[in-house]
Amino acid sequence: MKEGAIKEIHISEIDAFLAERLIEAGGGALGFNVSKKDSQGNISIESLGKAEGSPGEESVDFELSPGESLNPEEADVGHYTGRPVDTSSAYEFFDFLLANLSSFDCIAEFTGNAWRIKIEDPASPTDIGHN
């Protein structure tokens, strides 16, 4: 997927989509803009290209198993912006985010056993696509 290219997919396909993009790019961290298209789970993803560096080292975990709920601090989207988040399911994490945000920029990479995703803080400048 070339930088600036936009693709529409169902949110349930996000893990496979990200994996394919990372393989195509030969690994490393990639930037994306993700937008909610409708209430049926369709999203639009724009490739922002290779990200400088990686999402970072110090991270928080996001895991939401069936029947599990987030504590009040974790239920705040702000808890996950501007810092790396480790999750085994990009789908669960993006579904949570898009329930609260209409769009966001992110940096994503795979660390061997989990996704590491950094949602850019809207108040901070982004380094996505500036390589």
PDB file of all heavy atoms in Angstrom, residues 46-80:
ATOM      1  N   GLU A  46      -5.790   5.201   5.795  1.00  0.00           N
ATOM      2  CA  GLU A  46      -4.856   5.858   4.891  1.00  0.00           C
ATOM      3  C   GLU A  46      -3.441   5.542   5.344  1.00  0.00           C
ATOM      4  O   GLU A  46      -3.104   5.682   6.513  1.00  0.00           O
ATOM      5  CB  GLU A  46      -5.069   7.368   4.909  1.00  0.00           C
ATOM      6  CG  GLU A  46      -4.075   8.100   4.029  1.00  0.00           C
ATOM      7  CD  GLU A  46      -4.218   9.608   4.089  1.00  0.00           C
ATOM      8  OE1 GLU A  46      -5.048  10.115   4.871  1.00  0.00           O
ATOM      9  OE2 GLU A  46      -3.490  10.273   3.345  1.00  0.00           O
ATOM     10  N   SER A  47      -2.608   5.113   4.406  1.00  0.00           N
ATOM     11  CA  SER A  47      -1.213   4.840   4.721  1.00  0.00           C
ATOM     12  C   SER A  47      -0.458   6.158   4.816  1.00  0.00           C
ATOM     13  O   SER A  47      -0.500   6.977   3.898  1.00  0.00           O
ATOM     14  CB  SER A  47      -0.579   3.965   3.636  1.00  0.00           C
ATOM     15  OG  SER A  47       0.808   3.845   3.872  1.00  0.00           O
ATOM     16  N   LEU A  48       0.234   6.369   5.926  1.00  0.00           N
ATOM     17  CA  LEU A  48       1.041   7.560   6.115  1.00  0.00           C
ATOM     18  C   LEU A  48       2.522   7.248   5.943  1.00  0.00           C
ATOM     19  O   LEU A  48       3.370   8.102   6.182  1.00  0.00           O
ATOM     20  CB  LEU A  48       0.772   8.167   7.496  1.00  0.00           C
ATOM     21  CG  LEU A  48      -0.682   8.563   7.766  1.00  0.00           C
ATOM     22  CD1 LEU A  48      -0.828   9.093   9.185  1.00  0.00           C
ATOM     23  CD2 LEU A  48      -1.181   9.574   6.753  1.00  0.00           C
ATOM     24  N   GLY A  49       2.843   6.013   5.547  1.00  0.00           N
ATOM     25  CA  GLY A  49       4.226   5.635   5.276  1.00  0.00           C
ATOM     26  C   GLY A  49       4.971   5.149   6.498  1.00  0.00           C
ATOM     27  O   GLY A  49       4.410   4.933   7.568  1.00  0.00           O
ATOM     28  N   LYS A  50       6.273   4.972   6.302  1.00  0.00           N
ATOM     29  CA  LYS A  50       7.141   4.517   7.390  1.00  0.00           C
ATOM     30  C   LYS A  50       7.225   5.579   8.471  1.00  0.00           C
ATOM     31  O   LYS A  50       7.273   6.765   8.189  1.00  0.00           O
ATOM     32  CB  LYS A  50       8.556   4.245   6.865  1.00  0.00           C
ATOM     33  CG  LYS A  50       8.679   2.981   6.060  1.00  0.00           C
ATOM     34  CD  LYS A  50       9.112   1.863   6.956  1.00  0.00           C
ATOM     35  CE  LYS A  50       9.509   0.658   6.117  1.00  0.00           C
ATOM     36  NZ  LYS A  50       9.903  -0.447   6.941  1.00  0.00           N
ATOM     37  N   ALA A  51       7.227   5.124   9.704  1.00  0.00           N
ATOM     38  CA  ALA A  51       7.362   6.027  10.844  1.00  0.00           C
ATOM     39  C   ALA A  51       8.820   6.043  11.278  1.00  0.00           C
ATOM     40  O   ALA A  51       9.515   5.034  11.159  1.00  0.00           O
ATOM     41  CB  ALA A  51       6.472   5.571  11.991  1.00  0.00           C
ATOM     42  N   GLU A  52       9.274   7.184  11.748  1.00  0.00           N
ATOM     43  CA  GLU A  52      10.633   7.266  12.274  1.00  0.00           C
ATOM     44  C   GLU A  52      10.687   6.495  13.584  1.00  0.00           C
ATOM     45  O   GLU A  52       9.862   6.712  14.463  1.00  0.00           O
ATOM     46  CB  GLU A  52      11.027   8.715  12.513  1.00  0.00           C
ATOM     47  CG  GLU A  52      11.214   9.501  11.234  1.00  0.00           C
ATOM     48  CD  GLU A  52      11.667  10.927  11.490  1.00  0.00           C
ATOM     49  OE1 GLU A  52      12.024  11.260  12.634  1.00  0.00           O
ATOM     50  OE2 GLU A  52      11.652  11.701  10.538  1.00  0.00           O
ATOM     51  N   GLY A  53      11.636   5.598  13.714  1.00  0.00           N
ATOM     52  CA  GLY A  53      11.773   4.837  14.947  1.00  0.00           C
ATOM     53  C   GLY A  53      10.631   3.868  15.135  1.00  0.00           C
ATOM     54  O   GLY A  53      10.083   3.331  14.185  1.00  0.00           O
ATOM     55  N   SER A  54      10.288   3.640  16.383  1.00  0.00           N
ATOM     56  CA  SER A  54       9.194   2.731  16.718  1.00  0.00           C
ATOM     57  C   SER A  54       8.246   3.471  17.650  1.00  0.00           C
ATOM     58  O   SER A  54       8.543   4.576  18.091  1.00  0.00           O
ATOM     59  CB  SER A  54       9.742   1.474  17.393  1.00  0.00           C
ATOM     60  OG  SER A  54      10.182   1.778  18.691  1.00  0.00           O
ATOM     61  N   PRO A  55       7.116   2.852  17.963  1.00  0.00           N
ATOM     62  CA  PRO A  55       6.184   3.522  18.873  1.00  0.00           C
ATOM     63  C   PRO A  55       6.753   3.814  20.257  1.00  0.00           C
ATOM     64  O   PRO A  55       6.185   4.589  20.996  1.00  0.00           O
ATOM     65  CB  PRO A  55       5.006   2.548  18.960  1.00  0.00           C
ATOM     66  CG  PRO A  55       5.062   1.793  17.696  1.00  0.00           C
ATOM     67  CD  PRO A  55       6.535   1.656  17.396  1.00  0.00           C
ATOM     68  N   GLY A  56       7.872   3.206  20.627  1.00  0.00           N
ATOM     69  CA  GLY A  56       8.471   3.478  21.929  1.00  0.00           C
ATOM     70  C   GLY A  56       8.608   2.227  22.767  1.00  0.00           C
ATOM     71  O   GLY A  56       8.138   1.163  22.413  1.00  0.00           O
ATOM     72  N   GLU A  57       9.273   2.382  23.888  1.00  0.00           N
ATOM     73  CA  GLU A  57       9.562   1.244  24.749  1.00  0.00           C
ATOM     74  C   GLU A  57       8.573   1.090  25.899  1.00  0.00           C
ATOM     75  O   GLU A  57       8.029   0.034  26.106  1.00  0.00           O
ATOM     76  CB  GLU A  57      10.987   1.363  25.304  1.00  0.00           C
ATOM     77  CG  GLU A  57      12.055   1.251  24.225  1.00  0.00           C
ATOM     78  CD  GLU A  57      11.995  -0.066  23.461  1.00  0.00           C
ATOM     79  OE1 GLU A  57      11.799  -1.120  24.091  1.00  0.00           O
ATOM     80  OE2 GLU A  57      12.142  -0.031  22.232  1.00  0.00           O
ATOM     81  N   GLU A  58       8.377   2.137  26.698  1.00  0.00           N
ATOM     82  CA  GLU A  58       7.472   2.038  27.841  1.00  0.00           C
ATOM     83  C   GLU A  58       6.042   2.042  27.344  1.00  0.00           C
ATOM     84  O   GLU A  58       5.610   2.965  26.682  1.00  0.00           O
ATOM     85  CB  GLU A  58       7.686   3.203  28.802  1.00  0.00           C
ATOM     86  CG  GLU A  58       8.673   2.879  29.882  1.00  0.00           C
ATOM     87  CD  GLU A  58       8.711   3.961  30.935  1.00  0.00           C
ATOM     88  OE1 GLU A  58       7.667   4.229  31.569  1.00  0.00           O
ATOM     89  OE2 GLU A  58       9.793   4.516  31.119  1.00  0.00           O
ATOM     90  N   SER A  59       5.314   0.995  27.659  1.00  0.00           N
ATOM     91  CA  SER A  59       3.967   0.869  27.114  1.00  0.00           C
ATOM     92  C   SER A  59       2.968   0.477  28.198  1.00  0.00           C
ATOM     93  O   SER A  59       3.342   0.062  29.282  1.00  0.00           O
ATOM     94  CB  SER A  59       3.960  -0.171  25.997  1.00  0.00           C
ATOM     95  OG  SER A  59       4.337  -1.436  26.511  1.00  0.00           O
ATOM     96  N   VAL A  60       1.696   0.609  27.839  1.00  0.00           N
ATOM     97  CA  VAL A  60       0.605   0.127  28.670  1.00  0.00           C
ATOM     98  C   VAL A  60      -0.060  -1.016  27.914  1.00  0.00           C
ATOM     99  O   VAL A  60       0.062  -1.112  26.698  1.00  0.00           O
ATOM    100  CB  VAL A  60      -0.420   1.235  28.999  1.00  0.00           C
ATOM    101  CG1 VAL A  60       0.207   2.324  29.839  1.00  0.00           C
ATOM    102  CG2 VAL A  60      -1.029   1.818  27.750  1.00  0.00           C
ATOM    103  N   ASP A  61      -0.720  -1.884  28.633  1.00  0.00           N
ATOM    104  CA  ASP A  61      -1.404  -3.018  28.009  1.00  0.00           C
ATOM    105  C   ASP A  61      -2.872  -2.703  27.789  1.00  0.00           C
ATOM    106  O   ASP A  61      -3.505  -2.031  28.595  1.00  0.00           O
ATOM    107  CB  ASP A  61      -1.299  -4.269  28.888  1.00  0.00           C
ATOM    108  CG  ASP A  61       0.108  -4.838  28.914  1.00  0.00           C
ATOM    109  OD1 ASP A  61       0.832  -4.694  27.916  1.00  0.00           O
ATOM    110  OD2 ASP A  61       0.476  -5.424  29.942  1.00  0.00           O
ATOM    111  N   PHE A  62      -3.399  -3.234  26.691  1.00  0.00           N
ATOM    112  CA  PHE A  62      -4.832  -3.188  26.435  1.00  0.00           C
ATOM    113  C   PHE A  62      -5.252  -4.603  26.095  1.00  0.00           C
ATOM    114  O   PHE A  62      -4.879  -5.136  25.067  1.00  0.00           O
ATOM    115  CB  PHE A  62      -5.184  -2.262  25.266  1.00  0.00           C
ATOM    116  CG  PHE A  62      -6.664  -2.217  24.981  1.00  0.00           C
ATOM    117  CD1 PHE A  62      -7.452  -1.282  25.604  1.00  0.00           C
ATOM    118  CD2 PHE A  62      -7.255  -3.127  24.124  1.00  0.00           C
ATOM    119  CE1 PHE A  62      -8.824  -1.237  25.368  1.00  0.00           C
ATOM    120  CE2 PHE A  62      -8.626  -3.101  23.881  1.00  0.00           C
ATOM    121  CZ  PHE A  62      -9.407  -2.154  24.507  1.00  0.00           C
ATOM    122  N   GLU A  63      -6.006  -5.215  26.975  1.00  0.00           N
ATOM    123  CA  GLU A  63      -6.556  -6.545  26.743  1.00  0.00           C
ATOM    124  C   GLU A  63      -7.990  -6.548  27.226  1.00  0.00           C
ATOM    125  O   GLU A  63      -8.266  -6.171  28.358  1.00  0.00           O
ATOM    126  CB  GLU A  63      -5.760  -7.626  27.479  1.00  0.00           C
ATOM    127  CG  GLU A  63      -4.331  -7.759  27.003  1.00  0.00           C
ATOM    128  CD  GLU A  63      -4.179  -8.107  25.533  1.00  0.00           C
ATOM    129  OE1 GLU A  63      -5.066  -8.790  24.958  1.00  0.00           O
ATOM    130  OE2 GLU A  63      -3.176  -7.694  24.945  1.00  0.00           O
ATOM    131  N   LEU A  64      -8.884  -6.935  26.354  1.00  0.00           N
ATOM    132  CA  LEU A  64     -10.291  -6.983  26.721  1.00  0.00           C
ATOM    133  C   LEU A  64     -10.841  -8.325  26.286  1.00  0.00           C
ATOM    134  O   LEU A  64     -11.157  -8.529  25.125  1.00  0.00           O
ATOM    135  CB  LEU A  64     -11.057  -5.841  26.053  1.00  0.00           C
ATOM    136  CG  LEU A  64     -12.492  -5.629  26.488  1.00  0.00           C
ATOM    137  CD1 LEU A  64     -12.577  -5.342  27.979  1.00  0.00           C
ATOM    138  CD2 LEU A  64     -13.107  -4.477  25.712  1.00  0.00           C
ATOM    139  N   SER A  65     -10.903  -9.243  27.209  1.00  0.00           N
ATOM    140  CA  SER A  65     -11.433 -10.573  26.938  1.00  0.00           C
ATOM    141  C   SER A  65     -12.948 -10.549  27.061  1.00  0.00           C
ATOM    142  O   SER A  65     -13.506  -9.665  27.710  1.00  0.00           O
ATOM    143  CB  SER A  65     -10.862 -11.583  27.934  1.00  0.00           C
ATOM    144  OG  SER A  65      -9.456 -11.580  27.855  1.00  0.00           O
ATOM    145  N   PRO A  66     -13.633 -11.548  26.472  1.00  0.00           N
ATOM    146  CA  PRO A  66     -15.093 -11.598  26.614  1.00  0.00           C
ATOM    147  C   PRO A  66     -15.502 -11.561  28.082  1.00  0.00           C
ATOM    148  O   PRO A  66     -14.918 -12.242  28.917  1.00  0.00           O
ATOM    149  CB  PRO A  66     -15.462 -12.939  25.974  1.00  0.00           C
ATOM    150  CG  PRO A  66     -14.346 -13.215  25.026  1.00  0.00           C
ATOM    151  CD  PRO A  66     -13.105 -12.634  25.669  1.00  0.00           C
ATOM    152  N   GLY A  67     -16.453 -10.724  28.397  1.00  0.00           N
ATOM    153  CA  GLY A  67     -16.929 -10.615  29.767  1.00  0.00           C
ATOM    154  C   GLY A  67     -16.094  -9.698  30.637  1.00  0.00           C
ATOM    155  O   GLY A  67     -16.448  -9.432  31.776  1.00  0.00           O
ATOM    156  N   GLU A  68     -14.972  -9.213  30.127  1.00  0.00           N
ATOM    157  CA  GLU A  68     -14.085  -8.344  30.887  1.00  0.00           C
ATOM    158  C   GLU A  68     -14.439  -6.890  30.588  1.00  0.00           C
ATOM    159  O   GLU A  68     -14.833  -6.547  29.484  1.00  0.00           O
ATOM    160  CB  GLU A  68     -12.643  -8.629  30.454  1.00  0.00           C
ATOM    161  CG  GLU A  68     -11.588  -7.968  31.280  1.00  0.00           C
ATOM    162  CD  GLU A  68     -10.200  -8.345  30.828  1.00  0.00           C
ATOM    163  OE1 GLU A  68     -10.040  -9.296  30.046  1.00  0.00           O
ATOM    164  OE2 GLU A  68      -9.261  -7.664  31.252  1.00  0.00           O
ATOM    165  N   SER A  69     -14.295  -6.046  31.572  1.00  0.00           N
ATOM    166  CA  SER A  69     -14.528  -4.625  31.332  1.00  0.00           C
ATOM    167  C   SER A  69     -13.325  -3.833  31.827  1.00  0.00           C
ATOM    168  O   SER A  69     -12.530  -4.320  32.632  1.00  0.00           O
ATOM    169  CB  SER A  69     -15.797  -4.155  32.036  1.00  0.00           C
ATOM    170  OG  SER A  69     -15.674  -4.347  33.421  1.00  0.00           O
ATOM    171  N   LEU A  70     -13.197  -2.621  31.324  1.00  0.00           N
ATOM    172  CA  LEU A  70     -12.091  -1.765  31.707  1.00  0.00           C
ATOM    173  C   LEU A  70     -12.418  -1.039  33.006  1.00  0.00           C
ATOM    174  O   LEU A  70     -13.560  -0.669  33.249  1.00  0.00           O
ATOM    175  CB  LEU A  70     -11.845  -0.731  30.604  1.00  0.00           C
ATOM    176  CG  LEU A  70     -11.471  -1.286  29.234  1.00  0.00           C
ATOM    177  CD1 LEU A  70     -11.455  -0.166  28.205  1.00  0.00           C
ATOM    178  CD2 LEU A  70     -10.127  -1.972  29.282  1.00  0.00           C
ATOM    179  N   ASN A  71     -11.380  -0.800  33.832  1.00  0.00           N
ATOM    180  CA  ASN A  71     -11.610   0.018  35.010  1.00  0.00           C
ATOM    181  C   ASN A  71     -11.782   1.466  34.545  1.00  0.00           C
ATOM    182  O   ASN A  71     -11.474   1.797  33.406  1.00  0.00           O
ATOM    183  CB  ASN A  71     -10.497  -0.169  36.048  1.00  0.00           C
ATOM    184  CG  ASN A  71      -9.169   0.431  35.630  1.00  0.00           C
ATOM    185  OD1 ASN A  71      -9.110   1.558  35.143  1.00  0.00           O
ATOM    186  ND2 ASN A  71      -8.098  -0.318  35.831  1.00  0.00           N
ATOM    187  N   PRO A  72     -12.296   2.359  35.392  1.00  0.00           N
ATOM    188  CA  PRO A  72     -12.592   3.729  34.946  1.00  0.00           C
ATOM    189  C   PRO A  72     -11.415   4.452  34.287  1.00  0.00           C
ATOM    190  O   PRO A  72     -11.597   5.143  33.297  1.00  0.00           O
ATOM    191  CB  PRO A  72     -13.037   4.430  36.229  1.00  0.00           C
ATOM    192  CG  PRO A  72     -13.614   3.327  37.063  1.00  0.00           C
ATOM    193  CD  PRO A  72     -12.750   2.130  36.755  1.00  0.00           C
ATOM    194  N   GLU A  73     -10.194   4.298  34.810  1.00  0.00           N
ATOM    195  CA  GLU A  73      -9.028   4.962  34.204  1.00  0.00           C
ATOM    196  C   GLU A  73      -8.785   4.416  32.801  1.00  0.00           C
ATOM    197  O   GLU A  73      -8.513   5.156  31.868  1.00  0.00           O
ATOM    198  CB  GLU A  73      -7.783   4.764  35.066  1.00  0.00           C
ATOM    199  CG  GLU A  73      -6.533   5.393  34.449  1.00  0.00           C
ATOM    200  CD  GLU A  73      -5.287   5.110  35.262  1.00  0.00           C
ATOM    201  OE1 GLU A  73      -5.215   5.563  36.418  1.00  0.00           O
ATOM    202  OE2 GLU A  73      -4.397   4.439  34.723  1.00  0.00           O
ATOM    203  N   GLU A  74      -8.881   3.096  32.651  1.00  0.00           N
ATOM    204  CA  GLU A  74      -8.631   2.469  31.357  1.00  0.00           C
ATOM    205  C   GLU A  74      -9.744   2.741  30.354  1.00  0.00           C
ATOM    206  O   GLU A  74      -9.549   2.602  29.159  1.00  0.00           O
ATOM    207  CB  GLU A  74      -8.457   0.960  31.530  1.00  0.00           C
ATOM    208  CG  GLU A  74      -7.210   0.590  32.290  1.00  0.00           C
ATOM    209  CD  GLU A  74      -7.165  -0.888  32.623  1.00  0.00           C
ATOM    210  OE1 GLU A  74      -8.242  -1.494  32.819  1.00  0.00           O
ATOM    211  OE2 GLU A  74      -6.061  -1.429  32.698  1.00  0.00           O
ATOM    212  N   ALA A  75     -10.935   3.116  30.811  1.00  0.00           N
ATOM    213  CA  ALA A  75     -12.055   3.392  29.915  1.00  0.00           C
ATOM    214  C   ALA A  75     -11.929   4.764  29.263  1.00  0.00           C
ATOM    215  O   ALA A  75     -12.674   5.090  28.353  1.00  0.00           O
ATOM    216  CB  ALA A  75     -13.371   3.285  30.669  1.00  0.00           C
ATOM    217  N   ASP A  76     -10.967   5.560  29.690  1.00  0.00           N
ATOM    218  CA  ASP A  76     -10.716   6.880  29.123  1.00  0.00           C
ATOM    219  C   ASP A  76      -9.736   6.741  27.960  1.00  0.00           C
ATOM    220  O   ASP A  76      -8.618   6.259  28.142  1.00  0.00           O
ATOM    221  CB  ASP A  76     -10.143   7.798  30.210  1.00  0.00           C
ATOM    222  CG  ASP A  76      -9.801   9.181  29.706  1.00  0.00           C
ATOM    223  OD1 ASP A  76     -10.226   9.551  28.585  1.00  0.00           O
ATOM    224  OD2 ASP A  76      -9.104   9.900  30.440  1.00  0.00           O
ATOM    225  N   VAL A  77     -10.150   7.177  26.770  1.00  0.00           N
ATOM    226  CA  VAL A  77      -9.290   7.096  25.591  1.00  0.00           C
ATOM    227  C   VAL A  77      -7.968   7.813  25.829  1.00  0.00           C
ATOM    228  O   VAL A  77      -6.911   7.378  25.361  1.00  0.00           O
ATOM    229  CB  VAL A  77     -10.008   7.683  24.349  1.00  0.00           C
ATOM    230  CG1 VAL A  77      -9.063   7.812  23.179  1.00  0.00           C
ATOM    231  CG2 VAL A  77     -11.191   6.819  23.974  1.00  0.00           C
ATOM    232  N   GLY A  78      -7.999   8.886  26.604  1.00  0.00           N
ATOM    233  CA  GLY A  78      -6.781   9.640  26.902  1.00  0.00           C
ATOM    234  C   GLY A  78      -5.704   8.804  27.569  1.00  0.00           C
ATOM    235  O   GLY A  78      -4.519   9.119  27.474  1.00  0.00           O
ATOM    236  N   HIS A  79      -6.108   7.743  28.246  1.00  0.00           N
ATOM    237  CA  HIS A  79      -5.149   6.833  28.891  1.00  0.00           C
ATOM    238  C   HIS A  79      -4.253   6.161  27.851  1.00  0.00           C
ATOM    239  O   HIS A  79      -3.147   5.732  28.166  1.00  0.00           O
ATOM    240  CB  HIS A  79      -5.932   5.783  29.705  1.00  0.00           C
ATOM    241  CG  HIS A  79      -5.087   4.786  30.427  1.00  0.00           C
ATOM    242  ND1 HIS A  79      -4.342   5.114  31.539  1.00  0.00           N
ATOM    243  CD2 HIS A  79      -4.860   3.470  30.189  1.00  0.00           C
ATOM    244  CE1 HIS A  79      -3.703   4.033  31.964  1.00  0.00           C
ATOM    245  NE2 HIS A  79      -4.004   3.026  31.171  1.00  0.00           N
ATOM    246  N   TYR A  80      -4.723   6.059  26.604  1.00  0.00           N
ATOM    247  CA  TYR A  80      -4.012   5.328  25.563  1.00  0.00           C
ATOM    248  C   TYR A  80      -3.407   6.218  24.477  1.00  0.00           C
ATOM    249  O   TYR A  80      -2.786   5.713  23.558  1.00  0.00           O
ATOM    250  CB  TYR A  80      -4.964   4.322  24.905  1.00  0.00           C
ATOM    251  CG  TYR A  80      -5.499   3.328  25.897  1.00  0.00           C
ATOM    252  CD1 TYR A  80      -6.787   3.444  26.393  1.00  0.00           C
ATOM    253  CD2 TYR A  80      -4.710   2.287  26.360  1.00  0.00           C
ATOM    254  CE1 TYR A  80      -7.282   2.534  27.315  1.00  0.00           C
ATOM    255  CE2 TYR A  80      -5.187   1.377  27.287  1.00  0.00           C
ATOM    256  CZ  TYR A  80      -6.476   1.510  27.764  1.00  0.00           C
ATOM    257  OH  TYR A  80      -6.946   0.623  28.683  1.00  0.00           O
TER     258      TYR A  80
END
